[in-house]
Amino acid sequence: MRRITAIILCLLFLSISCQKKESLWSVEKVNSIHKKIDSLSSDSSHYYLKQIEHEISKNPLLDSLSLKNDYLLGNYFSAQGVLDSAAYYYQRTVDKVSDPLDYSKGYYYFFSAHESYVRLGKYGDCITIGKSFLNRIDSSNFRAKALGNLILSQAYKKLGDNEKSFFHNEQRIRMHLLTKDTSALFGTLINKADKLYYYKKNIKESFQLLDSLIDHEENMSLYHKRQLYNNYGVYQFLEGNFNKALDHYKKSLNFKKQMNNPLDKKSLFATSYANLAEVSIELKQYSNARKYLDTIKLLGIHNIPRHLRKSVLRYELKLANATNSNITSLYDHLDTIAKYQEQSYNEKIENELVELTKANEKEKQILQEKLETEIANANLKTSLLFGGVITSLLFSFGLLFYFRRKLKFERNSLQMQQRLLRSQMNPHFTFNTLYAIQNQIKKEPEKATNYLLKFSRLLRLFLENSMGDYIPLEKEIDSLKKYMDLQLLRMQNTFTYEFHYENMEEDEFLFIPPMLLQPFVENSIEHGFSDIDWPGKIIITLALQDKHIACTIEDNGKGLTFSKNHNKQSASTQLIDSFLKKSTKQGLEIIDRKSINTEHTGTLIRFSIPYTLTEEG
């Protein structure tokens, strides 16, 4: 009897749980997930956002959260480069914004929709967004009106309607003057110079305005500085002032490099390198033009704006003609673009078919749900409940395994950075440096001050480099040079060093893991050059290859035989060797130069460094 009672109670509990299933997603739970989206991985955030979207379609109580959910989905697809989906969700967000429009939130919703349509080349939709924004804001909100006129000015410019573009830019200037917003005014004045040059054909006034802006560039943001010099470079090029154009293009590129995660980064850099290639051809600097065009190829054809691909091909042809070189590479470039365009077209057709299929499936699903509601039975609910419990358990275990694995990887990565940082800032080097500074304070105070300044800059560089997984190549080389210069000051110039580059430059736009080279240079200085009676020399060679940078560090010190324990690698060397084996499948190669040539002394170290084109890795 007790068993029967227990079974009945269990079945009653399962039935109640099944009926309560729809209430598992509450407003508080959805809000909590929305707040945590930034801390989740992209895959996890997409999963939760789609789950919330599905629950909102079934539960009217959650409808108030659909606007924010659509906006976060738009952000996700925009970050992934899926522009059609991003525009779709941003448009849904704009359509759901209620009146009166709150500028602080409406700014992000409308401007995000505008940016997605700009990247898709749908400028007519940009005009619709701009007009809708202006119609729904308070007429006394001049800051918001400036934003609406910015959207319309840019859209009409892209459509070739210079008169309307100039009108809305003038309106934007008027709004900024009323709000006394000088930071935003810089961008508006840069656009005004653009209109004066192209629409009014008033070159002199346009150049005067740009020159006056350059006089106040210290008050500008990096975004406006790169825009100012880029536009000025274009005008100088069109006027035939190629040297000035080259100078402005380089300054614009430098400001872009300093910007933190600019929108559509690869497209932005591709435009700069294309401009530099064009003006280099005109100046007959063909080797530089070749380097800039090759850099564009490294960025990937799919990351180049559509209008720029035609220009790049034209520069390739012009360069081939000027240098009488083989145009086989040009044909390869054409084939790559053709394949990419064909792939894009097929994906578009496939997406359209998928959307039609989804629409049909949605209609069938609605009919099926109505039938299931009418003929629902307890057995089916119980089965669904058990299935849901099992699925939830599996999903929970999967999430737990994923986050534990992610935490372990992040912990190991942090430990590696900390150990390498400690190896760079070892007590021996720090003590010797401070001791040398102390001695110089008594004898040469001015020289000691200079020494201390260099030491502080080096420490700052070490700390900055240790914060990221990938840092600019030129930054890593700079910190290494500063380290060796300090050692030269301390050791009275007892050695020299050289850097050699193959297929690359020192300021190449590449990112590498930090703190890989310094431990080997330190070994050469502290151990290889100790007690030798000849001038020491370190040669560092970096060669750019397809997937890695081949690095060679060579010295003429005592070599591996100077230590009884030379077979035992230091902790930092073992750590670097382990890291390289995981990232490049190749470890360190440490060779005593005497084994190659008995007349030579010193150590030769070879290894491959992984690199990326972005600091995210």
Side-chain angles (χ1 to χ4, degrees):
M1 185 65 182
R2 290 180 179 177
R3 289 185 179 180
I4 296 173
T5 303
I7 292 172
I8 292 173
L9 288 173
C10 287
L11 290 175
L12 181 61
F13 173 77
L14 292 175
S15 177
I16 293 172
S17 299
C18 186
Q19 293 173 3
K20 296 283 186 180
K21 186 179 180 181
E22 292 183 356
S23 65
L24 292 177
W25 285 84
S26 63
V27 173
E28 291 76 16
K29 181 178 179 180
V30 173
N31 278 326
S32 176
I33 293 174
H34 281 167
K35 290 178 181 179
K36 294 179 180 178
I37 286 299
D38 289 339
S39 63
L40 296 174
S41 67
S42 59
D43 291 337
S44 298
S45 63
H46 178 247
Y47 171 81
Y48 281 117
L49 290 172
K50 293 300 289 184
Q51 284 287 306
I52 293 171
E53 182 182 34
H54 177 67
E55 292 297 326
I56 289 173
S57 67
K58 298 191 304 179
N59 191 346
L61 296 175
L62 301 176
D63 189 63
S64 61
L65 302 172
S66 63
L67 184 148
K68 186 173 183 180
N69 203 70
D70 286 341
Y71 180 68
L72 292 174
L73 278 166
N75 288 346
Y76 166 79
F77 286 115
S78 178
Q80 299 298 315
V82 187
L83 301 182
D84 287 324
S85 296
Y88 168 77
Y89 280 103
Y90 284 142
Q91 184 63 55
R92 281 180 44 154
T93 304
V94 168
D95 294 339
K96 292 177 182 178
V97 175
S98 58
D99 293 322
L101 181 63
D102 180 3
Y103 173 74
S104 61
K105 294 181 180 179
Y107 167 88
Y108 294 105
Y109 298 149
F110 280 81
F111 198 76
S112 296
H114 157 69
E115 285 293 325
S116 65
Y117 285 134
V118 168
R119 294 169 72 184
L120 286 168
K122 297 182 178 181
Y123 305 118
D125 291 326
C126 292
I127 293 174
T128 302
I129 290 291
K131 288 182 176 179
S132 175
F133 183 72
L134 286 175
N135 289 335
R136 299 175 65 179
I137 59 175
D138 187 351
S139 60
S140 62
N141 193 333
F142 302 122
R143 185 182 175 196
K145 292 178 75 174
L147 171 64
N149 280 288
L150 166 63
I151 293 174
L152 291 173
S153 176
Q154 291 180 347
Y156 281 120
K157 178 185 176 182
K158 293 292 185 180
L159 291 172
D161 193 338
N162 292 320
E163 185 173 355
K164 289 184 178 179
S165 178
F166 191 85
F167 168 77
H168 285 289
N169 196 65
E170 289 294 314
Q171 291 295 311
R172 183 184 170 205
I173 293 175
R174 193 164 68 88
M175 295 303 109
H176 285 316
L177 291 174
L178 290 171
T179 59
K180 298 180 181 180
D181 187 357
T182 55
S183 61
L185 186 60
F186 284 127
T188 311
L189 292 174
I190 292 172
N191 288 336
K192 182 176 181 179
D194 187 79
K195 306 298 184 302
L196 286 170
Y197 185 86
Y198 288 111
Y199 176 61
K200 297 292 187 179
K201 306 298 182 184
N202 192 335
I203 299 172
K204 181 178 179 181
E205 187 175 347
S206 174
F207 281 18
Q208 287 176 345
L209 177 55
L210 291 173
D211 288 332
S212 66
L213 289 173
I214 289 177
D215 292 336
H216 297 85
E217 75 173 54
E218 68 276 3
N219 299 317
M220 293 185 185
S221 65
L222 290 172
Y223 175 85
H224 287 135
K225 288 178 182 178
R226 72 92 186 161
Q227 184 185 15
L228 169 64
Y229 281 102
N230 183 76
N231 288 11
Y232 210 174
V234 172
Y235 309 153
Q236 293 287 7
F237 179 86
L238 294 175
E239 296 302 315
N241 302 323
F242 301 128
N243 285 311
K244 288 185 178 180
L246 180 64
D247 180 61
H248 289 327
Y249 285 154
K250 286 183 176 179
K251 288 182 179 179
S252 176
L253 178 60
N254 183 50
F255 288 128
K256 288 178 186 178
K257 290 182 177 181
Q258 297 178 45
M259 292 171 66
N260 290 325
N261 297 321
L263 183 67
D264 207 9
K265 179 190 293 186
K266 292 185 179 180
S267 172
L268 206 61
F269 282 110
T271 302
S272 283
Y273 287 123
N275 288 339
L276 287 166
E278 182 184 27
V279 73
S280 295
I281 293 172
E282 294 296 336
L283 290 170
K284 297 183 179 179
Q285 298 176 4
Y286 300 129
S287 60
N288 288 338
R290 179 73 272 155
K291 182 180 71 173
Y292 295 134
L293 290 172
D294 288 342
T295 304
I296 294 175
K297 291 179 183 178
L298 284 174
L299 292 173
I301 191 67
H302 57 285
N303 295 315
I304 299 176
R306 295 174 184 174
H307 69 275
L308 191 58
R309 294 173 198 153
K310 182 179 179 181
S311 298
V312 171
L313 281 175
R314 187 168 66 250
Y315 304 154
E316 288 277 6
L317 184 59
K318 197 169 184 179
L319 181 61
N321 182 60
T323 58
N324 296 318
S325 60
N326 195 320
I327 62 173
T328 302
S329 60
L330 185 61
Y331 290 140
D332 294 338
H333 203 56
L334 277 168
D335 290 339
T336 302
I337 291 179
K339 289 178 182 177
Y340 175 73
Q341 290 177 335
E342 183 179 355
Q343 180 184 351
S344 300
Y345 177 77
N346 290 334
E347 288 177 354
K348 181 179 180 181
I349 295 298
E350 183 178 344
N351 289 336
E352 290 175 352
L353 292 174
V354 169
E355 291 301 323
L356 287 174
T357 303
K358 286 182 179 179
N360 291 331
E361 290 177 353
K362 186 67 175 178
E363 186 175 353
K364 291 179 181 179
Q365 182 183 353
I366 293 172
L367 293 174
Q368 185 66 25
E369 287 177 355
K370 288 181 179 179
L371 291 173
E372 288 177 356
T373 303
E374 295 174 359
I375 62 172
N377 57 74
N379 291 331
L380 179 60
K381 286 186 176 181
T382 304
S383 300
L384 288 174
L385 178 62
F386 279 119
V389 170
I390 294 172
T391 303
S392 298
L393 288 173
L394 290 174
F395 177 69
S396 298
F397 282 121
L399 276 181
L400 179 63
F401 175 76
Y402 170 76
F403 284 117
R404 286 187 63 184
R405 185 175 180 181
K406 181 181 179 183
L407 180 63
K408 181 179 179 181
F409 177 80
E410 290 176 348
R411 184 171 62 249
N412 291 340
S413 178
L414 180 61
Q415 288 175 349
M416 172 188 152
Q417 290 186 3
Q418 289 174 338
R419 290 172 184 173
L420 284 177
L421 179 60
R422 286 197 297 269
S423 74
Q424 283 188 311
M425 298 174 62
N426 67 74
H428 184 260
F429 166 66
T430 305
F431 175 79
N432 286 342
T433 302
L434 293 176
Y435 182 74
I437 293 173
Q438 182 184 11
N439 289 336
Q440 286 186 345
I441 289 175
K442 300 175 182 178
K443 301 176 182 179
E444 301 175 272
E446 185 176 345
K447 189 174 181 180
T449 302
N450 183 45
Y451 196 174
L452 183 59
L453 180 61
K454 289 185 177 182
F455 182 58
S456 65
R457 287 175 178 171
L458 178 63
L459 291 182
R460 181 177 178 179
L461 266 177
F462 282 171
L463 291 172
E464 286 179 353
N465 290 356
S466 69
M467 298 299 291
D469 294 332
Y470 282 83
I471 64 169
L473 172 65
E474 58 182 328
K475 198 170 182 181
E476 175 73 0
I477 294 175
D478 185 36
S479 67
L480 189 58
K481 287 182 177 179
K482 282 182 169 59
Y483 169 77
M484 289 191 284
D485 289 341
L486 271 176
Q487 291 283 33
L488 284 169
L489 284 172
R490 183 172 66 86
M491 301 176 69
Q492 303 298 321
N493 296 318
T494 57
F495 70 92
T496 60
Y497 66 84
E498 295 178 6
F499 280 86
H500 299 289
Y501 305 95
E502 298 177 11
N503 302 324
M504 61 185 295
E505 301 291 339
E506 181 176 323
D507 60 349
E508 198 80 22
F509 190 62
L510 301 173
F511 295 84
I512 65 171
M515 301 178 286
L516 291 181
L517 306 178
Q518 190 269 348
F520 305 113
V521 173
E522 181 182 355
N523 283 337
S524 295
I525 297 172
E526 299 292 346
H527 303 295
F529 295 157
S530 64
D531 301 325
I532 63 173
D533 56 359
W534 64 87
K537 186 173 184 179
I538 299 175
I539 301 175
I540 300 172
T541 305
L542 299 174
L544 182 62
Q545 299 177 347
D546 290 339
K547 295 182 179 179
H548 306 124
I549 298 175
C551 177
T552 303
I553 301 176
E554 186 175 3
D555 68 61
N556 66 338
K558 293 187 291 186
L560 295 178
T561 57
F562 75 87
S563 172
K564 296 180 181 179
N565 299 318
H566 65 269
N567 290 324
K568 295 184 178 180
Q569 296 175 315
S570 68
S572 59
T573 302
Q574 291 176 341
L575 195 62
I576 294 173
D577 184 59
S578 176
F579 170 74
L580 292 174
K581 286 178 179 177
K582 291 178 181 179
S583 58
T584 67
K585 310 302 179 185
Q586 302 174 35
L588 291 170
E589 186 181 0
I590 304 177
I591 304 170
D592 194 322
R593 293 180 66 198
K594 279 190 176 181
S595 65
I596 302 174
N597 189 328
T598 55
E599 296 181 0
H600 292 169
T601 62
T603 306
L604 175 65
I605 300 174
R606 295 194 188 108
F607 56 94
S608 295
I609 304 174
Y611 73 88
T612 68
L613 297 176
T614 63
E615 58 187 337
E616 285 80 11

